[in-house]
Amino acid sequence: MSALLVPPSRSRPAPRPGFALRTITAETYRAFLATPAGAALGAGFLQCPSWADVKEGWRARLIGWGPDPEAGQLTGVALVLLRQFPGTRKYFAYLPEGPVADWSDPELDGWLDPLLEHLRGAGAFAVRIGPSPAYRRWDAARLKSLTRPGRRLGDVLASEVDPLGTAVAERLRARDWRRCGGDGTGEDGDAQPRHVFHVPLAGRTTEELWSGLNQEWRRNVRRAQKEGVEVVVGSAAELPEFYRLLGITERRDRFRLGRSLAYYERQYAALNAEEPGRMKLYLARHRGEILAAHTLITVGRRAWYQTGASADHRREVRPSNALQWRMLLDAHALGAEVYDMRGVPSTLDPDERAYGLLRWKLGTGGQVVETLGEWEKPLGGGANHTLYRAFQAYLNRR
């Protein structure tokens, strides 16, 4: 049995020989992610140093641990966002989809406990993390035949249950971490999507990617090509048009992201300053008019379709299908192993409006992946527990 599956001792573990945890520079952080060992940990864009420049209202801290963090000898890193609780000098610490660490490490407490102690010393009263292991997976082909009124993903036997994700969840519970939104299929407690959609790219040819699309998707891509839809990579100059189309999409599909144009301009500038081409804006034009615009982010061997927007008119020429097919091909050409289409709803009820997004992504032939979601923990002591409860109430009122 893996040591990770054994419940941890409640006593504080002895420090590891040659282990240190320090704040580090962005340059040291990025250099570690570029090493084979760092790249193998699969950091997402939310754990890149540039993300700190995107999030207004948060202080940021870059942390690294290993034999000699200042010299770049690292085994893990974390971007920590700190939100001050009004009227106090205390902070809520948030590690979006982080820390970037080896979650299979049998001595997980050896780096997690020092991380929490460091954050406590920085004034944090509570911490939220987003462990990277997957929890469960459902193949698209399986889900298509299992839609029913009132049915949700949790009602369906998964195609695969990840043993590492299960072990990490047990480990965190034993250390008094609480899974945000609970252990059901609800996602209300997570800031990042708990259910995401992955299209595997590693080891596949473009012909295999094409055959992986369902008939409707292939027909729609061909329709876009026949109608003369042109897909191009835009620039920051087209972000206002992307934002205008996003507003149309939000009203049509009845959701609200609540982000400003300045947010996307800041994101585009910050991510591309860190690495040119990290964030791209793809545009679908028809008869000279931009009908759809989607954003793509790449880090290492992963690519994310982050946000999509489209017009209400001329939808029959299928600009969004054309965009996604081009983005899939480009991610494949860049050597990405996974194309992450980000969040999907947990409903399998075709009568629910939200199911339409899941149905659209299922057509690419990938997998729905339930991540471990986000986990929270107050940092000990009566005062911190009181602040944690007050902070939860404050967020619920906003």
Side-chain angles (χ1 to χ4, degrees):
M1 179 180 291
S2 167
L4 188 59
L5 296 174
V6 178
S9 167
R10 291 289 179 172
S11 61
R12 188 174 303 283
R16 289 185 181 183
F19 174 90
L21 186 147
R22 301 282 189 272
T23 57
I24 58 175
T25 66
E27 291 74 19
T28 299
Y29 192 114
R30 284 192 286 266
F32 170 68
L33 294 184
T35 67
L41 299 178
F45 65 91
L46 298 177
Q47 278 293 297
C48 288
S50 57
W51 197 249
D53 297 323
V54 178
K55 302 299 292 180
E56 288 190 325
W58 297 79
R59 292 176 55 189
R61 179 174 290 220
L62 299 175
I63 299 170
W65 56 91
D68 189 349
E70 289 92 341
Q73 297 179 28
L74 296 162
T75 56
V77 292
L79 165 64
V80 183
L81 300 176
L82 298 165
R83 170 81 78 173
Q84 188 171 9
F85 186 75
T88 75
R89 294 183 179 179
K90 290 285 192 173
Y91 297 88
F92 179 76
Y94 179 38
L95 287 67
E97 297 186 2
V100 182
D102 179 7
W103 289 95
S104 67
D105 186 350
E107 298 184 51
L108 181 143
D109 294 336
W111 57 262
L112 187 54
D113 280 355
L115 175 62
L116 297 182
E117 284 301 312
H118 178 92
L119 295 176
R120 187 202 300 270
F125 62 87
V127 179
R128 175 183 286 204
I129 61 175
S132 59
Y135 196 40
R136 295 183 289 183
R137 294 180 174 88
W138 293 265
D139 293 334
R142 174 175 174 78
L143 290 178
K144 289 174 186 176
S145 62
L146 294 174
T147 58
R148 297 286 189 282
R151 179 172 284 178
R152 306 187 77 77
L153 281 169
D155 301 327
V156 175
L157 188 66
S159 305
E160 179 186 347
V161 177
D162 192 307
L164 176 59
T166 302
V168 170
E170 292 175 357
R171 186 76 164 182
L172 291 174
R173 288 190 193 96
R175 300 294 291 173
D176 298 323
W177 289 84
R178 180 185 67 85
R179 196 181 192 199
C180 302
D183 289 319
T185 58
E187 297 147 300
D188 291 344
D190 294 328
Q192 305 303 325
R194 180 177 294 188
H195 294 95
V196 295
F197 197 86
H198 288 177
V199 180
L201 303 180
R204 301 176 71 188
T205 65
T206 55
E207 291 76 16
E208 289 170 333
L209 292 178
W210 176 254
S211 63
L213 303 180
N214 67 15
Q215 289 184 353
E216 182 181 2
W217 261 81
R218 292 197 297 268
R219 183 170 60 248
N220 288 341
V221 172
R222 289 191 185 105
R223 176 68 183 273
Q225 293 169 344
K226 181 180 178 181
E227 294 288 343
V229 174
E230 179 191 15
V231 177
V232 299
V233 177
S235 67
E238 284 83 27
L239 284 171
E241 181 62 13
F242 159 77
Y243 189 71
R244 184 187 72 82
L245 291 172
L246 182 59
I248 293 172
T249 305
E250 289 178 331
R251 291 188 292 273
R252 180 181 65 240
D253 295 341
R254 301 175 190 173
F255 70 92
R256 176 68 175 157
L257 293 177
R259 295 168 182 154
S260 65
L261 171 60
Y263 173 91
Y264 292 103
E265 291 174 332
R266 191 165 60 248
Q267 182 186 109
Y268 189 90
L271 270 61
N272 288 322
E274 184 170 62
E275 182 175 314
R278 169 152 287 169
M279 180 176 179
K280 294 179 180 178
L281 176 64
Y282 283 75
L283 310 171
R285 288 197 181 100
H286 184 247
R287 300 176 186 169
E289 181 183 1
I290 298 174
L291 294 182
H294 295 178
T295 57
L296 178 74
I297 299 174
T298 55
V299 177
R301 294 191 176 274
R302 297 174 65 189
W304 292 262
Y305 157 48
Q306 188 195 20
T307 306
S310 61
D312 283 340
H313 61 289
R314 265 185 271 161
R315 294 170 63 80
E316 71 279 0
V317 303
R318 304 299 180 184
S320 292
N321 294 93
L323 278 176
Q324 285 299 309
W325 177 238
R326 166 69 183 278
M327 290 162 68
L328 264 170
L329 291 178
D330 284 1
H332 181 267
L334 287 170
E337 296 178 348
V338 174
Y339 182 70
D340 189 331
M341 299 184 79
R342 295 293 282 169
V344 292
S346 60
T347 180
L348 293 176
D349 186 342
D351 295 328
E352 289 191 29
R353 186 178 185 89
Y355 174 75
L357 177 63
L358 174 60
R359 179 182 178 275
W360 187 69
K361 294 183 181 182
L362 287 174
T364 63
Q367 289 183 323
V368 174
V369 178
E370 181 183 5
T371 69
L372 280 182
E374 297 184 331
W375 297 70
E376 283 185 353
K377 180 183 177 74
L379 292 180
N384 282 342
H385 277 78
T386 299
L387 270 177
Y388 177 58
R389 291 192 295 270
F391 188 70
Q392 290 177 310
Y394 165 74
L395 290 179
N396 290 335
R397 291 195 304 269
R398 293 183 65 192

